[in-house]
């Protein structure tokens, strides 16, 4: 981008192999903070061209843009991260509740007169809703009550993560989402550790007529309600309504987004956009990726404390400590691959594909059960890659979403159908397969294998968008060094048009 720099008020054109529009062979850019005249450009020159947006895209310098993004990060990411962490803690608490006060009258299975197989439905109820419902766990006196509160917990929680992802799409470009998703989910990776520590703290506690497992869930519920109140007042909505942004910054924040990004102006539900999204084969391909993967991996996540306990580590302290390596490993994976993905050099679909291959190999070890140490190591590695898979899958998915209604639906349906897969996956770990669950892991291997196949198929339908997104990211980074703004955006329908 160092040659052919535009004079003030002119549009520069660079011919490069690093182009998001292969048929044109050109990338268009302007100097930032210049008196640019962009009205003469036509849509045939730059697909999706909008003169007003392009004018606003060049109003801040590269340094000012970087500073603005930091401000946006500080207003969004910390609060979203805490929200995601509590969501994860609220989900994993029921796994640890099962191991609390084991062998006593205050164990959840004993107190609610449940068998291990009946307890499997707890996860199903969760997947098929949240702070206040979590507190209602303390009033449960039988298994039917536990099923009911978990159902409503899942009902209210189901929209949280898709809503958080959609909100990120209102503020960031698709090529900028990966590191933000990593930061948001980072604390959530420690949910098993946090739940484990709390379970250890409340183990053996009986106060106010409530057993330790009830105090565990009640405490988490109170924190969730308080966070919900805080979020209502302090979580930013859209760039156009953010009081801490100037009018110039609001216009720039929205202008820098590609034309397919959702915008606050799209306030009404768009039925035509929904129908178009439903007709797009990509939504169904991603749906099956999620469904097969969640069926194959949810059981491991839900039963990790039980699996570790069955290896002979029966004390609560040992069990909780042995879950920490999985959380730390997941964090290392997400941070490392989040950094790699942000360079624009690694194909986004290749990362979750590689993760699943590792998980499949670990399941082979769990199926064969060579020795206790090997099984524990495989559980930690598989658990870490399973957690990191979701973090690295979403940036790929949001590359191909379009519009407010379309983006919201595409994200929600992938997440929701994945939850259904999770409900099925938890049923694989039936008590008749205990203690080694060889049959369970054998079936899970089959589903992970199908997820790998779907990953490859989906890649073939989205490769153009991924290649163009990464190329344009590298071009923008180079242009920013010379204080220039790139006018071109990725055409997410380019591959589809070619197929016709």
């Amino acid at each position: 981008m160092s040659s052919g720099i535009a004079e003030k008020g002119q549009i520069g054109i660079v011919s490069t192999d690093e182009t998001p529009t292969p048929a044109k062979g050109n990338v268009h850019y302007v100097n930032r903070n210049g008196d640019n005249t962009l009205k003469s450009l036509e849509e045939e020159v730059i697909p999706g061209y909008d003169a007003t947006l392009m004018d606003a895209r060049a109003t801040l310098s590269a340094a000012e843009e970087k500073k603005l993004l930091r401000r946006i990060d500080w207003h969004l990411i910390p609060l979203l991260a805490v929200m995601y962490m509590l969501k994860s803690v609220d989900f994993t608490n029921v796994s640890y509740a099962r191991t609390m006060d084991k062998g006593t009258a205050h164990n959840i299975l004993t107190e609610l007169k449940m068998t291990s197989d009946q307890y499997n439905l707890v996860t199903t109820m969760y997947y098929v809703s949240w702070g206040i419902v979590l507190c209602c766990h303390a009033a449960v006196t039988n298994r039917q009550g536990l099923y009911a509160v978990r159902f409503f917990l899942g009902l209210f929680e189901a929209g949280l993560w898709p809503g958080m992802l959609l909100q990120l799409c209102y503020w960031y470009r698709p090529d900028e989402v990966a590191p933000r998703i990593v930061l948001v989910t980072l604390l959530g990776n420690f949910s098993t550790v946090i739940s484990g520590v709390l379970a250890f703290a409340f183990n053996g506690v009986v106060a106010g007529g409530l057993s330790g497992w009830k105090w565990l869930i009640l405490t988490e519920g109170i924190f969730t309600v308080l966070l919900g109140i805080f979020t209502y007042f302090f979580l930013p909505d859209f760039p156009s309504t953010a009081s801490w942004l100037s009018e110039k910054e609001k216009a720039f924040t929205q202008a820098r987004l590609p034309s397919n990004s959702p915008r606050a102006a799209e306030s009404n539900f768009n039925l035509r956009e929904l129908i178009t999204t439903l007709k797009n084969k990509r939504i169904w391909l991603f749906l099956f990726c999620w469904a097969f993967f969640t069926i194959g991996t949810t059981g491991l996540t839900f039963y990790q404390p039980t699996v570790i306990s069955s290896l002979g580590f029966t004390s609560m302290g040992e069990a909780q400590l042995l879950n920490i390596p999985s959380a730390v490993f997941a964090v290392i994976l997400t941070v490392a691959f989040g950094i790699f993905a942000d360079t624009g050099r690694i194909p986004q679909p290749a990362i979750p594909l590689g993760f699943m291959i590792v998980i499949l190999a670990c399941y082979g070890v769990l199926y064969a059960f060579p020795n206790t140490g090997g099984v524990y190591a495989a559980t930690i590695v598989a658990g870490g890659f399973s957690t990191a898979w979701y973090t690295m899958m979403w940036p790929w998915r949001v590359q191909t979403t379009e519009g407010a209604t379309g983006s919201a639906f595409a994200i929600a349906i992938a997440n929701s159908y994945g939850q259904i897969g999770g409900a099925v996956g938890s049923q694989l770990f039936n008590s008749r397969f205990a203690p080694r669950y060889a049959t369970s892991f054998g079936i899970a291997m089959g589903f992970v294998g199908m997820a790998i196949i779907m990953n490859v198929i989906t890649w073939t339908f989205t490769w153009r968008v991924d290649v163009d997104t990464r190329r344009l990211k590298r071009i923008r980074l180079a242009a920013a060094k010379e204080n220039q703004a790139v006018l071109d955006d990725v055409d997410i329908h380019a591959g589809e048009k070619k197929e016709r």
Side-chain angles (χ1 to χ4, degrees):
M1 300 295 294
S2 60
S3 61
I5 298 177
E7 297 294 334
K8 185 175 181 180
Q10 295 181 349
I11 300 161
I13 301 177
V14 166
S15 179
T16 174
D17 58 355
E18 292 276 273
T19 173
T21 52
K24 303 290 184 183
N26 298 319
V27 172
H28 306 80
Y29 61 95
V30 294
N31 288 328
R32 295 172 182 260
N33 293 329
D35 183 19
N36 299 300
T37 305
L38 309 181
K39 307 297 183 183
S40 60
L41 279 179
E42 298 179 356
E43 189 167 346
E44 301 87 64
V45 179
I46 303 179
Y49 174 78
D50 184 303
T52 303
L53 289 178
M54 297 308 169
D55 278 330
R57 189 173 286 187
T59 54
L60 295 185
S61 67
E64 289 172 330
E65 178 183 25
K66 190 174 182 180
K67 185 177 180 180
L68 174 61
L69 283 178
R70 287 202 195 98
R71 286 176 57 206
I72 294 174
D73 288 340
W74 278 110
H75 277 84
L76 282 173
I77 304 303
L79 186 51
L80 291 177
V82 174
M83 290 167 60
Y84 184 82
M85 179 192 70
L86 278 186
K87 179 201 84 76
S88 302
V89 168
D90 293 343
F91 167 63
T92 57
N93 58 21
V94 75
S95 303
Y96 288 92
R98 181 178 183 174
T99 64
M100 293 174 64
D101 297 309
K102 199 170 184 178
T104 73
H106 298 292
N107 177 259
I108 190 171
L109 295 182
T110 305
E111 193 169 327
L112 300 184
K113 300 179 177 58
M114 299 176 69
T115 65
S116 295
D117 291 340
Q118 290 173 334
Y119 199 74
N120 288 350
L121 287 176
V122 171
T123 297
T124 302
M125 292 300 103
Y126 173 89
Y127 276 117
V128 179
S129 105
W130 196 20
I132 295 176
V133 175
L134 201 63
C135 294
C136 291
H137 282 62
V140 169
T141 59
N142 53 48
R143 68 174 184 272
Q144 290 83 1
L146 186 61
Y147 294 158
V149 292
R150 294 307 285 187
F151 170 82
F152 284 106
L153 178 63
L155 181 67
F156 288 118
E157 183 273 335
L160 179 71
W161 179 237
M164 292 166 66
L165 282 173
L166 182 62
Q167 187 167 39
L168 290 177
C169 292
Y170 278 101
W171 293 85
Y172 303 102
R173 292 193 300 256
D175 61 280
E176 298 169 330
V177 168
R180 270 81 186 184
I181 291 179
V182 168
L183 292 173
V184 168
T185 58
L186 206 58
L187 290 177
N189 291 329
F190 285 100
S191 62
T192 55
V193 177
I194 296 171
S195 292
V197 171
L198 289 174
F200 180 75
F202 285 109
N203 190 51
V205 173
V206 179
L210 301 179
S211 301
W213 67 270
K214 289 186 176 181
W215 278 112
L216 166 71
I217 299 177
L218 180 61
T219 300
E220 294 171 357
I222 292 173
F223 276 112
T224 302
V225 171
L226 294 176
L227 179 64
I229 296 173
F230 183 87
T231 299
Y232 178 80
F233 291 102
F234 294 100
L235 182 66
D237 199 351
F238 307 110
S240 60
T241 59
S243 60
W244 41 274
L245 290 178
S246 67
E247 292 303 317
K248 184 178 180 180
E249 290 172 332
K250 291 177 183 179
F252 178 82
T253 302
Q254 295 175 92
R256 64 189 302 277
L257 300 178
S259 58
N260 61 289
S261 292
R263 300 178 189 278
E266 304 174 77
S267 58
N268 297 321
F269 175 80
N270 190 322
L271 180 59
R272 178 173 294 184
E273 195 173 290
L274 174 62
I275 294 174
T276 301
T277 302
L278 282 170
K279 291 180 178 179
N280 193 316
K281 62 176 71 70
R282 292 171 179 172
I283 193 173
W284 305 108
L285 293 172
F286 277 109
L287 183 148
F288 282 111
C289 287
W290 253 266
F292 289 141
F293 182 80
T294 51
I295 292 175
T297 58
T298 300
L300 176 67
T301 304
F302 184 74
Y303 271 88
Q304 185 168 304
T306 303
V307 170
I308 290 177
S309 177
S310 70
L311 293 176
F313 306 107
T314 55
S315 75
M316 280 293 296
E318 288 179 325
Q320 306 329 320
L321 289 175
L322 289 171
N323 278 291
I324 293 177
S326 179
V328 174
F329 182 56
V331 169
I332 294 174
L333 283 175
T334 53
V335 171
F337 282 93
I339 293 173
F340 293 151
D342 197 39
T343 64
R345 297 290 178 183
I346 301 178
Q348 194 66 52
I351 300 176
L353 176 62
F355 284 9
M356 287 189 288
I357 293 174
V358 175
I359 292 172
L360 197 63
C362 290
Y363 274 14
V365 175
L366 295 171
Y367 177 82
F369 206 99
N371 53 66
T372 299
V375 168
Y376 172 67
T379 301
I380 296 302
V381 173
F385 275 97
S386 175
T387 300
W389 183 89
Y390 293 97
T391 303
M392 302 314 303
M393 190 71 175
W394 281 113
W396 176 23
R397 181 65 189 100
V398 299
Q399 283 180 354
T400 60
T401 59
E402 184 174 23
T405 300
S407 296
F409 184 75
I411 292 172
I413 195 172
N415 187 73
S416 299
Y417 204 87
Q419 306 290 10
I420 295 175
V424 176
S426 64
Q427 299 302 308
L428 298 181
F429 286 76
N430 193 282
S431 62
R432 69 176 182 272
F433 302 136
R436 297 184 177 181
Y437 297 103
T439 301
S440 302
F441 285 118
I443 298 173
M445 286 176 68
F447 279 105
V448 173
M450 287 190 287
I452 290 175
I453 294 173
M454 285 307 307
N455 194 115
V456 174
I457 294 174
T458 305
W459 193 352
T460 63
F461 283 91
T462 62
W463 70 270
R464 171 67 62 80
V465 175
D466 177 67
V467 169
D468 290 351
T469 299
R470 291 185 292 108
R471 282 179 177 173
L472 190 55
K473 180 180 181 65
R474 297 193 297 270
I475 292 171
R476 285 198 182 104
L477 291 175
K481 294 178 181 178
E482 300 190 20
N483 200 35
Q484 297 168 348
V486 175
L487 302 182
D488 302 82
D489 289 319
V490 172
D491 181 4
I492 66 171
H493 297 294
E496 297 173 6
K497 292 174 183 175
K498 187 174 180 179
E499 291 164 11
R500 296 170 190 165

